Amino acid sequence: MELKLYVDRMSQPSRAILIFCKANGIEFEEVKIELAKGQHRTPEFAAEVNPMKQVPAIAHGDFKLFESHAILIYLASAFSGVADHWYPADVQKRAKIHSVLDWHHSNLRRGSVGYIFNSIIGLAFGLPSNPEAAAKGEKLLSASLQTIESFWLNGDGPFLLGNSKPSVADLALVCEIMQIEVADENDRERILGPHKKVLKWIADTKDAIAPHFDEIHSIMLPFKEKLKELKAQASN
Amino acid sequence: MELKLYVDRMSQPSRAILIFCKANGIEFEEVKIELAKGQHRTPEFAAEVNPMKQVPAIAHGDFKLFESHAILIYLASAFSGVADHWYPADVQKRAKIHSVLDWHHSNLRRGSVGYIFNSIIGLAFGLPSNPEAAAKGEKLLSASLQTIESFWLNGDGPFLLGNSKPSVADLALVCEIMQIEVADENDRERILGPHKKVLKWIADTKDAIAPHFDEIHSIMLPFKEKLKELKAQASN
């Protein structure tokens, strides 16, 4: 059955799904949906791919699915050959991963999107920056990073929940944090700098999923340069 | 193994978990954590039950878990005798339920909490109402109800995804919407009234989980009366 991934590599949940497939040898067709061009908002996309007009979304034969966590779990469950550590069969280990992913929705993800979109990525969509909303996002983002530092990484292993190998939760959360890479150096240092365990965990996750992690994130550098230009234009 | 549920029946995700256990004959001890008294914010609660200082949380023997969706899925998976319709074994049916629950986080739940907390429930915590935040919450809540009406209930059966019997997603979402019952009649009619399919689905869910659904929600009426008093005091 053919697997199509409807993604934009600028989107952090899209990258998580691309990396997951590459790391697990799952064959797919990448259908590029350019958010900055509004390709996710067309009536065709809503009718045929995702009525919520968002990426990522997938089609696996006739089966369609959206919401990135649901997609990661589906891919880990539906394809043979995905190692157990990504989404363990054990009911209690699995429940802990669901708990991290649910927490992510209302905390790290919400803070990160609030900060990044309102401070810089909105510029790529022709929107002005919104310092008040960005500050609110940064507050939740920083509190979430502190919770990862002091609680979710408070185990024996290098990954979330003290695991020795990454799960879909590590991939989803690290890809989210990688979006901060598009911020400028000062912002990045202010937000991520205080969280040493988080920085080590990001490095460990990159290493564990090499070379796919860096390959899919290679789009970030040119994007960062482009945003720098837009930011300079906006402040002139 | 003993199952303890740390809950406050005023909290919609707490009610979903209580109802799920009762409907499936899962024995438990209900440990009442009164949010209005701040019992979820004590150092003991954070250390022994849930570091995020929220309800619901569970302890199943030595295993501890928080986040209500993760708890519902865990209970459906760990206890024998839970009918398949609650959380189907089929990978694709299960994926669709994850998709609804993920969507819920950023839409219905976020809108509902934003509206209810800022318009009325904050009063029970001694906080003033915040009309601007309440209006923002109501906008997202109404859009989410419209999405349930036109998309999630757009199937052959009476439940979400066109299912013929309720899943954990129906339970989680309907319990969320029941919180609107504490609003006054005009607010309730304005918000829920336009969504006829949603109203039928709420009634069908109540019927399918009788008598447990109404039993656990019986706390709502006295709570509504208490909030009416607080609202009258606040506006004087």
Side-chain angles (χ1 to χ4, degrees):
Chain A
M1 242 188 333
E2 196 187 20
L3 176 67
K4 286 185 181 177
L5 308 184
Y6 299 86
V7 289
D8 184 334
R9 291 188 182 205
M10 302 298 186
S11 125
Q12 52 275 48
S14 290
R15 291 195 300 270
I17 284 161
L18 286 162
I19 293 167
F20 184 83
C21 286
K22 292 215 167 203
N24 287 287
I26 296 171
E27 288 188 18
F28 61 88
E29 178 193 345
E30 180 177 353
V31 184
K32 292 183 182 180
I33 303 296
E34 290 194 54
L35 298 174
K37 290 186 181 164
Q39 293 177 345
H40 56 306
R41 289 198 300 267
T42 66
E44 295 73 28
F45 185 81
E48 288 161 28
V49 182
N50 180 359
M52 305 305 163
K53 301 180 180 178
Q54 290 173 327
V55 293
I58 68 168
H60 187 204
D62 292 336
F63 179 70
K64 292 173 185 176
L65 190 66
F66 57 86
E67 284 290 342
S68 64
H69 296 171
I71 292 170
L72 286 169
I73 290 173
Y74 174 74
L75 295 172
S77 307
F79 287 82
S80 59
V82 175
D84 188 71
H85 64 84
W86 287 108
Y87 186 59
D90 177 86
V91 169
Q92 293 190 341
K93 288 182 182 167
R94 186 170 278 199
K96 290 284 192 183
I97 289 171
H98 292 157
S99 181
V100 177
L101 291 172
D102 286 327
W103 173 86
H104 179 39
H105 275 291
S106 320
N107 293 279
L108 176 67
R109 170 85 182 147
R110 192 166 162 180
S112 163
V113 168
Y115 166 66
I116 290 281
F117 193 86
N118 290 297
S119 65
I120 188 156
I121 288 191
L123 297 173
F125 292 84
L127 298 168
S129 63
N130 180 338
E132 196 187 336
K136 201 173 162 192
E138 183 175 334
K139 194 176 168 192
L140 180 55
L141 171 58
S142 289
S144 301
L145 290 168
Q146 184 52 40
T147 300
I148 296 174
E149 181 92 2
S150 62
F151 178 70
W152 293 117
L153 288 174
N154 189 23
D156 293 333
F159 297 101
L160 297 170
L161 304 163
N163 291 338
S164 59
K165 291 186 173 179
S167 73
V168 290
D170 294 276
L171 184 54
L173 273 65
V174 169
C175 283
E176 186 65 48
I177 295 170
M178 287 300 291
Q179 205 72 345
I180 301 167
E181 294 289 331
V182 300
D184 75 38
E185 290 310 314
N186 290 338
D187 293 346
R188 188 188 173 283
E189 180 56 32
R190 181 182 75 252
I191 294 171
L192 285 176
H195 306 292
K196 304 300 175 202
K197 271 184 174 176
V198 169
L199 290 170
K200 183 176 181 305
W201 163 62
I202 294 170
D204 287 340
T205 303
K206 284 184 190 185
D207 286 349
I209 321 177
H212 313 291
F213 192 95
D214 282 337
E215 181 205 332
I216 297 295
H217 281 91
S218 64
I219 199 161
M220 302 295 277
L221 197 61
F223 186 43
K224 189 173 174 174
E225 293 305 318
K226 194 188 163 192
L227 285 174
K228 217 179 247 180
E229 279 174 40
L230 288 169
K231 208 174 175 181
Q233 285 168 17
S235 64
N236 281 341
Chain B
M1 239 186 335
E2 195 187 21
L3 176 67
K4 285 185 181 178
L5 308 184
Y6 299 86
V7 288
D8 183 335
R9 290 188 182 206
M10 303 297 186
S11 124
Q12 51 276 47
S14 290
R15 292 195 299 272
I17 284 160
L18 286 162
I19 292 167
F20 184 83
C21 287
K22 293 214 167 204
N24 288 288
I26 296 172
E27 289 188 16
F28 61 88
E29 179 193 343
E30 181 177 351
V31 184
K32 292 183 183 182
I33 304 296
E34 290 195 53
L35 298 174
K37 290 186 181 164
Q39 293 176 346
H40 57 305
R41 288 197 301 265
T42 66
E44 294 74 27
F45 185 81
E48 291 160 27
V49 182
N50 181 358
M52 305 302 163
K53 302 182 179 178
Q54 290 173 327
V55 293
I58 68 167
H60 187 204
D62 291 335
F63 179 70
K64 291 172 185 178
L65 190 66
F66 57 86
E67 284 291 342
S68 65
H69 296 171
I71 293 171
L72 286 170
I73 290 173
Y74 174 73
L75 295 171
S77 307
F79 287 83
S80 59
V82 175
D84 188 70
H85 63 86
W86 288 109
Y87 185 60
D90 177 86
V91 168
Q92 294 191 341
K93 289 182 181 169
R94 184 170 280 198
K96 290 284 191 183
I97 289 172
H98 292 157
S99 180
V100 177
L101 291 172
D102 285 326
W103 173 86
H104 179 38
H105 274 290
S106 320
N107 293 278
L108 177 66
R109 169 85 180 148
R110 191 166 163 182
S112 163
V113 168
Y115 166 66
I116 289 281
F117 193 87
N118 290 297
S119 65
I120 189 158
I121 287 191
L123 297 174
F125 292 84
L127 298 168
S129 62
N130 180 340
E132 196 187 337
K136 201 174 161 191
E138 183 175 334
K139 194 176 166 191
L140 181 54
L141 170 59
S142 289
S144 302
L145 290 168
Q146 184 52 40
T147 300
I148 296 174
E149 180 92 2
S150 63
F151 179 70
W152 294 117
L153 288 174
N154 189 24
D156 293 333
F159 298 101
L160 296 170
L161 303 163
N163 291 338
S164 59
K165 292 185 173 179
S167 74
V168 291
D170 294 276
L171 185 53
L173 273 64
V174 169
C175 284
E176 187 65 49
I177 296 171
M178 286 300 291
Q179 205 74 343
I180 301 168
E181 294 288 330
V182 301
D184 75 37
E185 289 310 313
N186 291 338
D187 294 345
R188 186 187 174 283
E189 181 55 31
R190 182 182 73 252
I191 294 170
L192 286 175
H195 306 291
K196 303 302 174 200
K197 271 183 174 176
V198 169
L199 291 170
K200 183 177 180 303
W201 163 62
I202 295 169
D204 287 339
T205 303
K206 285 184 190 185
D207 286 350
I209 321 178
H212 313 292
F213 192 95
D214 283 337
E215 182 205 331
I216 298 295
H217 281 89
S218 65
I219 199 161
M220 302 294 277
L221 198 61
F223 186 43
K224 189 173 173 173
E225 293 304 319
K226 194 189 162 192
L227 286 174
K228 221 179 246 179
E229 281 174 38
L230 289 169
K231 207 175 176 180
Q233 286 169 19
S235 64
N236 280 340

